[in-house]
Amino acid sequence: MNYVEHNNKLVFFPGYYLKENIEEGYFTLFELEEGLQLNNKDMLSLLDGKLHLTDEIANRLASYLGTSKQLWINIENSWRKALQQKGESKNEHRNRH
């Protein structure tokens, strides 16, 4: 799952944006691993949305990509909140039947 709909918006996980940039040729997987100081396993987990974005990784992303740490924290928090609420709405639907 690359995105979820939340409050009439599509919400993506941080790794989605990174994968898009890799596919567009802005940087390679290896360059990103080196820039973020992540091993391949952790990098792939981040790209798949399985690795929670920590403050440390958000700092590295901000530094490597010339963005703010808060941008990445906001993307991560929006993603996790949307997933949580999606799970809650599924449970509410199940409990009604």
Side-chain angles (χ1 to χ4, degrees), residues 77-90:
N77 289 342
S78 294
W79 173 250
R80 299 294 167 194
K81 182 178 180 180
L83 285 181
Q84 180 183 14
Q85 289 182 349
K86 182 179 179 187
E88 288 172 2
S89 67
K90 280 184 182 178

PDB file of all heavy atoms in Angstrom, residues 77-90:
ATOM      1  N   ASN A  77       4.189  11.411  10.558  1.00  0.00           N
ATOM      2  CA  ASN A  77       3.069  11.476  11.501  1.00  0.00           C
ATOM      3  C   ASN A  77       1.726  11.395  10.794  1.00  0.00           C
ATOM      4  O   ASN A  77       0.803  10.729  11.281  1.00  0.00           O
ATOM      5  CB  ASN A  77       3.157  12.752  12.347  1.00  0.00           C
ATOM      6  CG  ASN A  77       4.284  12.703  13.349  1.00  0.00           C
ATOM      7  OD1 ASN A  77       4.811  11.641  13.677  1.00  0.00           O
ATOM      8  ND2 ASN A  77       4.677  13.862  13.845  1.00  0.00           N
ATOM      9  N   SER A  78       1.604  12.059   9.659  1.00  0.00           N
ATOM     10  CA  SER A  78       0.353  11.997   8.887  1.00  0.00           C
ATOM     11  C   SER A  78       0.081  10.578   8.418  1.00  0.00           C
ATOM     12  O   SER A  78      -1.055  10.099   8.461  1.00  0.00           O
ATOM     13  CB  SER A  78       0.421  12.933   7.677  1.00  0.00           C
ATOM     14  OG  SER A  78       0.489  14.267   8.090  1.00  0.00           O
ATOM     15  N   TRP A  79       1.137   9.887   7.967  1.00  0.00           N
ATOM     16  CA  TRP A  79       1.004   8.511   7.499  1.00  0.00           C
ATOM     17  C   TRP A  79       0.544   7.593   8.629  1.00  0.00           C
ATOM     18  O   TRP A  79      -0.409   6.831   8.486  1.00  0.00           O
ATOM     19  CB  TRP A  79       2.325   8.040   6.915  1.00  0.00           C
ATOM     20  CG  TRP A  79       2.356   6.589   6.562  1.00  0.00           C
ATOM     21  CD1 TRP A  79       3.060   5.613   7.183  1.00  0.00           C
ATOM     22  CD2 TRP A  79       1.660   5.946   5.491  1.00  0.00           C
ATOM     23  NE1 TRP A  79       2.848   4.403   6.572  1.00  0.00           N
ATOM     24  CE2 TRP A  79       1.988   4.574   5.532  1.00  0.00           C
ATOM     25  CE3 TRP A  79       0.783   6.400   4.504  1.00  0.00           C
ATOM     26  CZ2 TRP A  79       1.472   3.656   4.621  1.00  0.00           C
ATOM     27  CZ3 TRP A  79       0.272   5.477   3.598  1.00  0.00           C
ATOM     28  CH2 TRP A  79       0.616   4.119   3.662  1.00  0.00           C
ATOM     29  N   ARG A  80       1.216   7.669   9.751  1.00  0.00           N
ATOM     30  CA  ARG A  80       0.872   6.791  10.883  1.00  0.00           C
ATOM     31  C   ARG A  80      -0.523   7.086  11.410  1.00  0.00           C
ATOM     32  O   ARG A  80      -1.269   6.174  11.757  1.00  0.00           O
ATOM     33  CB  ARG A  80       1.902   6.925  12.011  1.00  0.00           C
ATOM     34  CG  ARG A  80       3.309   6.536  11.602  1.00  0.00           C
ATOM     35  CD  ARG A  80       3.437   5.076  11.271  1.00  0.00           C
ATOM     36  NE  ARG A  80       4.714   4.818  10.604  1.00  0.00           N
ATOM     37  CZ  ARG A  80       4.994   3.705   9.973  1.00  0.00           C
ATOM     38  NH1 ARG A  80       4.139   2.718   9.920  1.00  0.00           N
ATOM     39  NH2 ARG A  80       6.162   3.557   9.383  1.00  0.00           N
ATOM     40  N   LYS A  81      -0.898   8.361  11.471  1.00  0.00           N
ATOM     41  CA  LYS A  81      -2.237   8.734  11.933  1.00  0.00           C
ATOM     42  C   LYS A  81      -3.308   8.212  10.972  1.00  0.00           C
ATOM     43  O   LYS A  81      -4.330   7.677  11.403  1.00  0.00           O
ATOM     44  CB  LYS A  81      -2.338  10.252  12.054  1.00  0.00           C
ATOM     45  CG  LYS A  81      -3.665  10.736  12.581  1.00  0.00           C
ATOM     46  CD  LYS A  81      -3.670  12.247  12.730  1.00  0.00           C
ATOM     47  CE  LYS A  81      -5.013  12.722  13.250  1.00  0.00           C
ATOM     48  NZ  LYS A  81      -5.045  14.186  13.399  1.00  0.00           N
ATOM     49  N   ALA A  82      -3.064   8.351   9.681  1.00  0.00           N
ATOM     50  CA  ALA A  82      -4.028   7.864   8.682  1.00  0.00           C
ATOM     51  C   ALA A  82      -4.175   6.350   8.769  1.00  0.00           C
ATOM     52  O   ALA A  82      -5.290   5.827   8.690  1.00  0.00           O
ATOM     53  CB  ALA A  82      -3.595   8.291   7.280  1.00  0.00           C
ATOM     54  N   LEU A  83      -3.063   5.634   8.950  1.00  0.00           N
ATOM     55  CA  LEU A  83      -3.135   4.176   9.087  1.00  0.00           C
ATOM     56  C   LEU A  83      -3.918   3.779  10.328  1.00  0.00           C
ATOM     57  O   LEU A  83      -4.735   2.865  10.306  1.00  0.00           O
ATOM     58  CB  LEU A  83      -1.735   3.570   9.160  1.00  0.00           C
ATOM     59  CG  LEU A  83      -0.934   3.481   7.887  1.00  0.00           C
ATOM     60  CD1 LEU A  83       0.424   2.830   8.173  1.00  0.00           C
ATOM     61  CD2 LEU A  83      -1.666   2.700   6.817  1.00  0.00           C
ATOM     62  N   GLN A  84      -3.653   4.481  11.424  1.00  0.00           N
ATOM     63  CA  GLN A  84      -4.338   4.186  12.677  1.00  0.00           C
ATOM     64  C   GLN A  84      -5.842   4.417  12.528  1.00  0.00           C
ATOM     65  O   GLN A  84      -6.649   3.584  12.927  1.00  0.00           O
ATOM     66  CB  GLN A  84      -3.780   5.056  13.794  1.00  0.00           C
ATOM     67  CG  GLN A  84      -4.446   4.802  15.137  1.00  0.00           C
ATOM     68  CD  GLN A  84      -3.927   5.730  16.221  1.00  0.00           C
ATOM     69  OE1 GLN A  84      -3.260   6.725  15.926  1.00  0.00           O
ATOM     70  NE2 GLN A  84      -4.224   5.421  17.445  1.00  0.00           N
ATOM     71  N   GLN A  85      -6.220   5.534  11.948  1.00  0.00           N
ATOM     72  CA  GLN A  85      -7.638   5.835  11.800  1.00  0.00           C
ATOM     73  C   GLN A  85      -8.308   4.903  10.805  1.00  0.00           C
ATOM     74  O   GLN A  85      -9.466   4.561  10.971  1.00  0.00           O
ATOM     75  CB  GLN A  85      -7.829   7.296  11.421  1.00  0.00           C
ATOM     76  CG  GLN A  85      -7.497   8.209  12.582  1.00  0.00           C
ATOM     77  CD  GLN A  85      -7.721   9.670  12.290  1.00  0.00           C
ATOM     78  OE1 GLN A  85      -7.934  10.065  11.152  1.00  0.00           O
ATOM     79  NE2 GLN A  85      -7.647  10.471  13.324  1.00  0.00           N
ATOM     80  N   LYS A  86      -7.573   4.498   9.794  1.00  0.00           N
ATOM     81  CA  LYS A  86      -8.123   3.531   8.835  1.00  0.00           C
ATOM     82  C   LYS A  86      -8.402   2.213   9.546  1.00  0.00           C
ATOM     83  O   LYS A  86      -9.448   1.606   9.351  1.00  0.00           O
ATOM     84  CB  LYS A  86      -7.161   3.318   7.673  1.00  0.00           C
ATOM     85  CG  LYS A  86      -7.691   2.378   6.629  1.00  0.00           C
ATOM     86  CD  LYS A  86      -6.723   2.215   5.486  1.00  0.00           C
ATOM     87  CE  LYS A  86      -7.300   1.229   4.490  1.00  0.00           C
ATOM     88  NZ  LYS A  86      -6.382   0.885   3.446  1.00  0.00           N
ATOM     89  N   GLY A  87      -7.481   1.778  10.398  1.00  0.00           N
ATOM     90  CA  GLY A  87      -7.676   0.556  11.174  1.00  0.00           C
ATOM     91  C   GLY A  87      -8.846   0.671  12.120  1.00  0.00           C
ATOM     92  O   GLY A  87      -9.631  -0.259  12.280  1.00  0.00           O
ATOM     93  N   GLU A  88      -9.000   1.831  12.749  1.00  0.00           N
ATOM     94  CA  GLU A  88     -10.108   2.044  13.674  1.00  0.00           C
ATOM     95  C   GLU A  88     -11.439   2.020  12.944  1.00  0.00           C
ATOM     96  O   GLU A  88     -12.410   1.461  13.428  1.00  0.00           O
ATOM     97  CB  GLU A  88      -9.934   3.371  14.415  1.00  0.00           C
ATOM     98  CG  GLU A  88      -8.833   3.337  15.438  1.00  0.00           C
ATOM     99  CD  GLU A  88      -8.528   4.706  16.048  1.00  0.00           C
ATOM    100  OE1 GLU A  88      -9.220   5.691  15.691  1.00  0.00           O
ATOM    101  OE2 GLU A  88      -7.608   4.772  16.873  1.00  0.00           O
ATOM    102  N   SER A  89     -11.501   2.611  11.751  1.00  0.00           N
ATOM    103  CA  SER A  89     -12.762   2.618  11.020  1.00  0.00           C
ATOM    104  C   SER A  89     -13.131   1.214  10.551  1.00  0.00           C
ATOM    105  O   SER A  89     -14.300   0.853  10.511  1.00  0.00           O
ATOM    106  CB  SER A  89     -12.716   3.587   9.832  1.00  0.00           C
ATOM    107  OG  SER A  89     -11.807   3.147   8.854  1.00  0.00           O
ATOM    108  N   LYS A  90     -12.132   0.391  10.207  1.00  0.00           N
ATOM    109  CA  LYS A  90     -12.414  -1.003   9.850  1.00  0.00           C
ATOM    110  C   LYS A  90     -12.991  -1.746  11.047  1.00  0.00           C
ATOM    111  O   LYS A  90     -13.943  -2.505  10.921  1.00  0.00           O
ATOM    112  CB  LYS A  90     -11.146  -1.720   9.374  1.00  0.00           C
ATOM    113  CG  LYS A  90     -10.767  -1.428   7.960  1.00  0.00           C
ATOM    114  CD  LYS A  90      -9.559  -2.265   7.588  1.00  0.00           C
ATOM    115  CE  LYS A  90      -9.104  -1.982   6.185  1.00  0.00           C
ATOM    116  NZ  LYS A  90      -7.917  -2.762   5.835  1.00  0.00           N
TER     117      LYS A  90
END
